[in-house]
Coordinates of all heavy atoms in Angstrom, one line a residue:
Chain B
Q38 N 140.0 83.3 25.6 CA 140.2 84.6 25.1 C 140.6 85.6 26.2 O 139.9 85.8 27.1 CB 138.8 85.2 24.3 CG 138.9 86.5 23.7 CD 137.6 86.7 23.0 OE1 136.5 86.4 23.6 NE2 137.7 87.4 21.9
Y39 N 141.6 86.3 25.9 CA 142.2 87.3 26.8 C 141.7 88.7 26.2 O 141.3 88.9 25.1 CB 143.8 87.4 26.8 CG 144.2 86.1 27.5 CD1 144.7 85.0 26.7 CD2 144.3 85.9 28.8 CE1 145.1 83.7 27.4 CE2 144.6 84.8 29.6 CZ 145.1 83.7 28.7 OH 145.4 82.5 29.3
P40 N 141.6 89.7 27.1 CA 141.1 91.0 26.7 C 141.7 91.5 25.4 O 142.9 91.6 25.2 CB 141.4 92.0 27.9 CG 141.4 90.9 29.0 CD 142.1 89.6 28.5
N41 N 140.9 92.0 24.6 CA 141.1 92.5 23.3 C 142.1 91.6 22.3 O 142.9 92.2 21.6 CB 141.9 93.9 23.4 CG 141.1 94.9 24.2 OD1 139.9 95.1 23.9 ND2 141.6 95.4 25.3
R42 N 141.9 90.4 22.6 CA 142.6 89.4 21.8 C 141.6 88.5 21.1 O 140.4 88.3 21.5 CB 143.6 88.7 22.6 CG 144.7 89.6 23.3 CD 145.5 90.2 22.2 NE 146.2 89.3 21.4 CZ 147.5 88.9 21.7 NH1 148.0 89.0 22.7 NH2 148.1 88.1 20.9
G43 N 142.1 87.8 20.1 CA 141.2 86.7 19.5 C 141.2 85.4 20.4 O 142.0 85.4 21.4
L44 N 140.5 84.4 20.0 CA 140.4 83.1 20.9 C 141.7 82.3 20.4 O 142.4 82.3 19.4 CB 139.3 82.3 20.4 CG 137.9 82.8 21.0 CD1 137.4 84.1 20.4 CD2 136.8 81.5 20.6
Q45 N 142.2 81.7 21.5 CA 143.5 80.8 21.5 C 142.9 79.3 21.8 O 142.2 79.1 22.7 CB 144.5 81.0 22.4 CG 145.1 82.5 22.3 CD 146.1 82.8 23.3 OE1 146.8 81.8 23.8 NE2 146.4 84.1 23.6
F46 N 143.3 78.4 20.9 CA 143.0 77.0 21.2 C 143.6 76.4 22.3 O 144.8 76.7 22.5 CB 143.4 76.3 19.8 CG 143.4 74.8 20.1 CD1 142.2 74.1 20.0 CD2 144.5 74.0 20.1 CE1 142.2 72.7 20.1 CE2 144.5 72.7 20.2 CZ 143.3 72.0 20.1
L47 N 142.8 75.7 23.2 CA 143.4 75.0 24.3 C 143.7 73.5 24.2 O 144.5 72.8 24.4 CB 142.6 75.2 25.6 CG 142.6 76.6 26.3 CD1 141.7 76.6 27.5 CD2 144.1 76.8 26.8
L48 N 142.5 72.8 23.7 CA 142.5 71.4 23.5 C 141.3 71.0 22.7 O 140.3 71.8 22.5 CB 142.5 70.7 24.9 CG 141.5 71.1 26.0 CD1 140.1 70.5 25.8 CD2 141.9 70.7 27.3
K49 N 141.3 69.7 22.2 CA 140.2 69.2 21.6 C 140.1 67.7 21.8 O 140.9 67.1 22.3 CB 140.4 69.4 19.9 CG 141.5 68.6 19.5 CD 141.6 68.7 18.0 CE 142.8 67.9 17.3 NZ 142.9 68.0 15.9
Y50 N 138.8 67.3 21.7 CA 138.4 65.8 21.7 C 137.8 65.5 20.4 O 136.8 66.1 19.9 CB 137.4 65.5 22.8 CG 136.9 64.2 22.7 CD1 137.7 63.2 23.3 CD2 135.8 63.8 22.0 CE1 137.2 61.8 23.2 CE2 135.3 62.5 21.9 CZ 136.0 61.3 22.5 OH 135.6 60.3 22.5
I51 N 138.4 64.5 19.8 CA 137.9 63.9 18.5 C 137.3 62.6 18.8 O 136.3 62.2 18.4 CB 139.0 64.0 17.4 CG1 139.4 65.3 17.1 CG2 138.3 63.5 16.1 CD1 138.4 66.4 16.8
T52 N 138.3 61.7 19.2 CA 138.1 60.3 19.6 C 139.1 59.8 20.5 O 140.0 60.5 20.7 CB 138.0 59.5 18.3 OG1 137.5 58.0 18.7 CG2 139.4 59.4 17.6
G53 N 138.9 58.7 21.2 CA 139.9 58.0 21.8 C 139.7 58.2 23.4 O 138.5 58.3 23.9
D54 N 140.9 58.5 24.1 CA 140.8 58.7 25.7 C 139.7 59.8 26.0 O 139.8 60.9 25.3 CB 142.2 59.0 26.1 CG 143.0 57.8 26.1 OD1 142.6 56.7 25.9 OD2 144.3 57.9 26.1
N55 N 139.1 59.7 27.0 CA 138.0 60.5 27.5 C 138.6 61.8 28.2 O 138.1 62.9 28.2 CB 137.0 59.9 28.4 CG 136.0 59.0 27.7 OD1 135.9 59.0 26.4 ND2 135.5 58.1 28.4
L56 N 139.8 61.7 28.7 CA 140.6 62.7 29.3 C 141.5 63.3 28.2 O 142.4 62.6 27.8 CB 141.3 62.3 30.6 CG 141.9 63.2 31.4 CD1 140.9 64.3 31.9 CD2 142.8 62.6 32.5
V57 N 141.4 64.5 28.0 CA 142.4 65.2 27.0 C 143.0 66.3 27.7 O 142.5 67.1 28.4 CB 141.4 65.9 25.9 CG1 142.2 66.6 25.0 CG2 140.6 64.7 25.2
K58 N 144.5 66.3 27.4 CA 145.2 67.2 28.0 C 145.6 68.4 27.0 O 145.6 68.1 25.9 CB 146.6 66.6 28.5 CG 146.3 65.7 29.7 CD 147.5 65.3 30.3 CE 147.3 64.2 31.5 NZ 146.5 64.9 32.6
G59 N 145.7 69.6 27.6 CA 145.8 70.7 26.6 C 147.0 71.8 27.1 O 147.9 71.3 28.0
S60 N 146.9 73.0 26.7 CA 147.8 73.9 27.0 C 147.6 74.4 28.4 O 146.5 74.4 28.9 CB 147.8 75.0 26.0 OG 147.9 74.6 24.7
Y61 N 148.8 75.0 28.9 CA 148.7 75.9 30.2 C 148.1 75.0 31.4 O 147.7 75.4 32.3 CB 147.8 77.1 30.1 CG 148.1 77.9 28.9 CD1 147.1 78.1 27.9 CD2 149.5 78.4 28.6 CE1 147.4 79.0 26.8 CE2 149.8 79.2 27.5 CZ 148.7 79.4 26.6 OH 149.0 80.2 25.5
G62 N 148.3 73.7 31.3 CA 148.0 72.7 32.4 C 146.4 72.4 32.5 O 146.0 71.8 33.3
F63 N 145.8 72.9 31.4 CA 144.2 72.5 31.3 C 144.1 71.1 30.8 O 144.9 70.7 30.0 CB 143.5 73.4 30.4 CG 143.3 74.9 31.2 CD1 144.1 75.9 31.1 CD2 142.1 75.0 32.0 CE1 143.9 77.0 31.6 CE2 141.9 76.3 32.6 CZ 142.7 77.3 32.5
E64 N 142.9 70.5 31.3 CA 142.5 69.2 30.6 C 141.1 69.2 30.6 O 140.4 70.1 31.3 CB 143.0 68.0 31.5 CG 142.5 68.0 33.0 CD 143.3 67.1 33.8 OE1 144.4 66.6 33.6 OE2 142.8 66.6 34.9
A65 N 140.4 68.3 29.8 CA 139.1 68.2 29.8 C 138.5 66.9 29.7 O 139.3 66.0 29.1 CB 138.5 68.9 28.6
E66 N 137.3 66.6 30.3 CA 136.9 65.3 30.3 C 135.6 65.1 29.5 O 134.6 65.8 29.8 CB 136.7 64.8 31.8 CG 136.2 63.2 32.0 CD 136.2 62.7 33.3 OE1 136.3 63.6 34.3 OE2 136.2 61.6 33.5
F67 N 135.6 64.2 28.6 CA 134.5 63.9 27.7 C 133.7 62.8 28.5 O 134.2 61.9 28.8 CB 135.1 63.4 26.3 CG 133.9 62.9 25.5 CD1 132.8 63.7 24.9 CD2 133.9 61.5 25.1 CE1 131.9 63.2 24.1 CE2 132.8 61.0 24.2 CZ 131.9 61.9 23.8
N68 N 132.4 63.2 28.5 CA 131.4 62.2 29.1 C 130.2 62.0 28.2 O 129.5 62.8 28.1 CB 131.0 62.6 30.5 CG 130.2 61.7 31.1 OD1 129.2 61.0 30.6 ND2 130.4 61.3 32.5
K69 N 130.2 60.9 27.4 CA 129.3 60.7 26.4 C 127.8 60.6 27.0 O 126.8 61.2 26.4 CB 129.5 59.5 25.5 CG 128.6 59.2 24.4 CD 129.2 58.2 23.4 CE 128.2 58.0 22.3 NZ 128.7 57.0 21.3

Side-chain angles (χ1 to χ4, degrees):
Chain B
Q38 186 176 34
Y39 295 96
N41 297 316
R42 302 297 301 274
L44 282 68
Q45 296 178 31
F46 169 72
L47 281 178
L48 51 81
K49 68 177 180 180
Y50 173 83
I51 303 301
T52 187
D54 289 341
N55 290 340
L56 186 63
V57 179
K58 294 190 182 296
S60 306
Y61 311 121
F63 283 94
E64 58 188 27
E66 186 169 10
F67 171 66
N68 188 315
K69 187 173 183 177

